[in-house]
Amino acid sequence: MTGPDVPSPVASPGPSPAPSLSPSLENLQERLTRFAAAREWQPFHTPKNLAAALSVEAGELLEIFQWLTPEQAADIMSDPGSAHRVRDEVADVLAYLLQFCAATGVDPLTALAAKIERNELRFPAPGAPAEGGHSSD
């Protein structure tokens, strides 16, 4: 939960250890859990509060693009200042999503894989065989 007394879940004053080149979701989730525990934030990290914080951070990401033309939005990462803001908001969204998943026991990769499978069945690609694997030809 961010606010005047609670910084962003990825903000850290002072130097931090160099991140590994390819951190795993599990490692990042563990780091976020330790970060919150060290600051005694667990009472605030309820599913409801984390879902609300996730929504707020997603809104802050959207705010960056609010009045941009489609062309400006497509080019946003070419400006270092804007790119930095986008990366920070993406990090905040992901941090809260991972904390939400930890609080609810949801494995985000398993949930995503299952959702993709359901969507592949619900929304077949044009020309794909119908359910059951047989084409109508």
Side-chain angles (χ1 to χ4, degrees):
M1 169 166 132
T2 59
D5 298 327
V6 183
S8 164
V10 292
S12 59
S16 62
S20 65
L21 294 178
S22 182
S24 71
L25 278 177
E26 285 178 8
N27 176 267
L28 293 171
Q29 230 168 358
E30 290 170 11
R31 285 182 66 191
L32 287 166
T33 299
R34 286 193 309 268
F35 182 88
R39 289 149 183 84
E40 300 178 353
W41 290 349
Q42 302 96 322
F44 305 104
H45 284 195
T46 64
K48 178 195 81 67
N49 287 351
L50 291 167
L54 174 59
S55 177
V56 168
E57 293 300 337
E60 289 180 9
L61 177 61
L62 178 59
E63 183 181 28
I64 296 168
F65 294 89
Q66 186 172 11
W67 301 111
L68 301 182
T69 65
E71 295 79 16
Q72 290 169 322
D75 199 36
I76 196 135
M77 298 307 285
S78 66
D79 173 62
S82 296
H84 177 75
R85 289 180 58 212
V86 168
R87 283 191 297 273
D88 276 357
E89 294 307 332
V90 166
D92 286 344
V93 168
L94 183 57
Y96 279 121
L97 179 60
L98 292 177
Q99 290 175 312
F100 176 85
C101 287
T104 58
V106 172
D107 178 323
L109 296 181
T110 300
L112 178 57
K115 182 67 175 190
I116 291 169
E117 287 177 22
R118 286 192 309 276
N119 282 344
E120 287 171 339
L121 294 173
R122 286 180 62 206
F123 307 104
E131 216 174 293
H134 296 89
S135 143
S136 59
D137 292 335

